Each structure stands twice: as C-alpha cells, then as structure tokens.
Amino acid sequence: MPELPEVEVIRRELAPLICGKSFAEPVLFYERAIRYPRPKEFSRRLPGRCIVELGRKGKYLFFELDRGLLLGHLRMTGKLLYCAPGAALDNPTAPEKDLRVKLPFAEGGALYFYDMRKFGGFWLLEDLEECRAAGLSLPGPDIWEELDESTFVAMLQGRPRARIKPLLLDQHFAAGMGNIYTDESLFRSGIHPCRRVQTLTEEESALLYRTIRDVLAAGIACGGTTTRDYRDARGAEGSFQNFLTVYGRKGEPCTHCSRPIERIVVAGRGTHFCPHCQK
DNA sequence: TAAGGCCTGCTC
DNA sequence: GAGCAGGCCTTA
C-alpha cells in the first residue's frame, strides 16, 4: 500500500510530466472517488486549471494549480498512471479494470486513477481554508521533509503516554509512516512496538528518527515496496519488499537472532516484530 | 483510546 | 463463505 516512499516516487515521476499542463474535462467512472466538491461541480471547475507544481504532504499528493489546489490520496490500492499523448496506457492489468477516474490534459495525455478497493479519492479546493468544509483534516508535519532530529525528539517528549507504534502511524502527529515502514523502523531500532514513549531514552528516540530516515530513503531508492498492488506512475513495481526484515515475515527467522518473527495486533493493525531483538 | 465504516480480493 | 487486509475519518 502506498506510504510516504511510494507517494514520493510517484510525485517525482509525475512532476516533470504534468507540470505546466492544464486539465481538460474529467471522466468519472466512480463518482464517489470525487470527495469534494460534488462530482458535477468538480467536473465543471477543474477544466482549464493549470498544474504549477506537484507536492506531497504525508501520503497526500498536492497538485498546486494556478487557481486552487487538487489533493489526491491513494489509500491502500490506488494507482495513478500517466499516459503520454498518443501512447498506449501501460496498465499491468486490463485497461478498464478498477479504473475510477480519468483526468485528461488539454495538451494531450492523461492521468488514470485506478483503485480496486475504492478508498482513494480527490479533493478540489479553492484554498487550504476550504479543508474543513471538504471534510479533510490536513496531516501534521511531513516526517521526511519537515522534521529534524531534535524537533522529532521534542515531539515525542510531548506524548509520553502514547505507545510508539500507534503514535508513528498517527498522521496528525507526523505524516507519512504506514504499517510497513513503521514495523521495519521499529525492528531496526530495537524498539518494541508497544513501548510507551516515556520509557524511550533520548538516545533511543534519536536512533529511531535516524532509522526512520534510513528506511524511508531506502524505500524511495528502491522505487517503493510492492507486496501486492503497488505500482508507480509508469506501472512499475518497487523492490523494497526484497529488503523487508519483519513485515509479512511471520514465523520466519529473524535476520539478527534467527528466532521466529511474531505477528500481534496493536491498535487494530497487524504488527510484525522480533520479541528477542525488540525491547 | 477504541470501535465502526468504507471497499474488494485473497486466504483459511 | 467468513474473515482478514489497512488508511483515515467519524463516533463513542
């Protein structure tokens, strides 16, 4: 599922391809993928608006327009594929399978939004003030772009009672971490996912920050993690799944101590860890 | 803090 | 054929 590295890979691929282009009339195959405003209003307002810049905050894509802002979120199974003018769409499955929205450009070419599970969607805002009306609560600081070590450690100190894994997954605390990269970061830091933040030493908090950065950097360098559905904007798979140490490896030997990896449920999420190496 | 809801396809 | 997978919102 797309987490920060996957969304960042897509952003980097798409930016040079679509910046400067203007949207034409969208084609909605699944209207509920348009979260705000109403689908008809969305289709009326979007055409003619030009993409100035493609940004990212947490797992949201920010299409900054000459007027307003288009937000996109892929949730679990969303894919955003770019098709150049006159080229065949390089969809690994059938062209129509799971296609929810087509966003054509006036200059030719189009973005295709696929989403098997229909969780992802788009919000068209005139400005950031409109978020509340759109039912959006914007994420906290991006953990890759907007937080340095001392800030992150101080933020942790402000949440002493929280358990570390649910806190890392809280997008309002810090944006970008999902289940896979959180489990990997905690294993590589030797920290048990259920630890209360107040039991972490300052050294452990700092190590966790640096480990998170290393893991996210590796994920980005690998083009993301494809456990099942994820594809980048060209339809290609990532390769970080080949370097996972705990996620999806229940029962397999720990890469460090060879004892079996365990899977428990923490705050409703499947959580993979090594009980021997993570304290 | 925890749960339910949104979804579909795969696993048991 | 039920239950699980999970990001993020809402509700309790």
Side-chain angles (χ1 to χ4, degrees), chain A residues 18 21 81-85 89 102-105 108-112:
Chain A
I18 65 173
K21 291 195 170 188
L81 301 185
Y82 176 75
C83 184
L89 179 65
K102 177 181 178 182
L103 298 174
F105 295 110
L111 279 177
Y112 290 78

Side-chain angles (χ1 to χ4, degrees), chain A residues 177-221:
Chain A
M177 299 296 281
N179 211 31
I180 296 175
Y181 291 94
T182 299
D183 280 2
E184 290 300 312
S185 298
L186 288 172
F187 170 76
R188 294 170 198 215
S189 304
I191 297 171
H192 193 290
C194 295
R195 281 272 293 280
R196 299 280 169 188
V197 170
Q198 62 193 354
T199 71
L200 298 179
T201 65
E202 201 164 318
E203 289 71 29
E204 282 179 312
S205 297
L207 171 65
L208 176 58
Y209 174 83
R210 293 194 294 270
T211 305
I212 287 171
R213 291 202 67 85
D214 288 346
V215 169
L216 293 177
I220 293 170

Side-chain angles (χ1 to χ4, degrees), chain A residues 8-54:
Chain A
E8 177 62 17
V9 167
I10 291 169
R11 188 197 68 78
R12 290 181 185 183
E13 287 176 350
L14 284 181
L17 299 171
I18 65 173
C19 285
K21 291 195 170 188
S22 298
F23 285 110
E25 178 96 6
V27 187
L28 311 182
F29 301 96
Y30 179 69
E31 291 203 333
R32 293 175 67 176
I34 305 304
R35 305 304 181 85
Y36 187 88
R38 302 262 175 179
K40 279 200 175 62
E41 188 65 15
F42 179 92
S43 297
R44 190 183 67 78
R45 285 193 206 172
L46 188 63
R49 300 204 189 192
C50 177
I51 301 172
V52 176
E53 209 173 316
L54 182 60

Side-chain angles (χ1 to χ4, degrees), chain A residues 159-168 193-197 265-267:
Chain A
R159 299 291 296 276
R161 299 278 302 154
R163 289 181 296 173
I164 188 63
K165 170 158 178 178
L167 186 61
L168 290 176
C194 295
R195 281 272 293 280
R196 299 280 169 188
V197 170
V265 175
V266 178

Side-chain angles (χ1 to χ4, degrees), chain A residues 6 9 13 79 81 90 92-93 219-242:
Chain A
E6 289 73 26
V9 167
E13 287 176 350
K79 302 178 183 66
L81 301 185
D90 188 20
T93 55
I220 293 170
C222 284
T225 304
T226 299
T227 53
R228 175 171 308 212
D229 296 301
Y230 171 70
R231 298 293 185 281
D232 66 18
R234 299 170 296 125
E237 299 184 359
S239 62
F240 194 60
Q241 66 277 7
N242 300 318

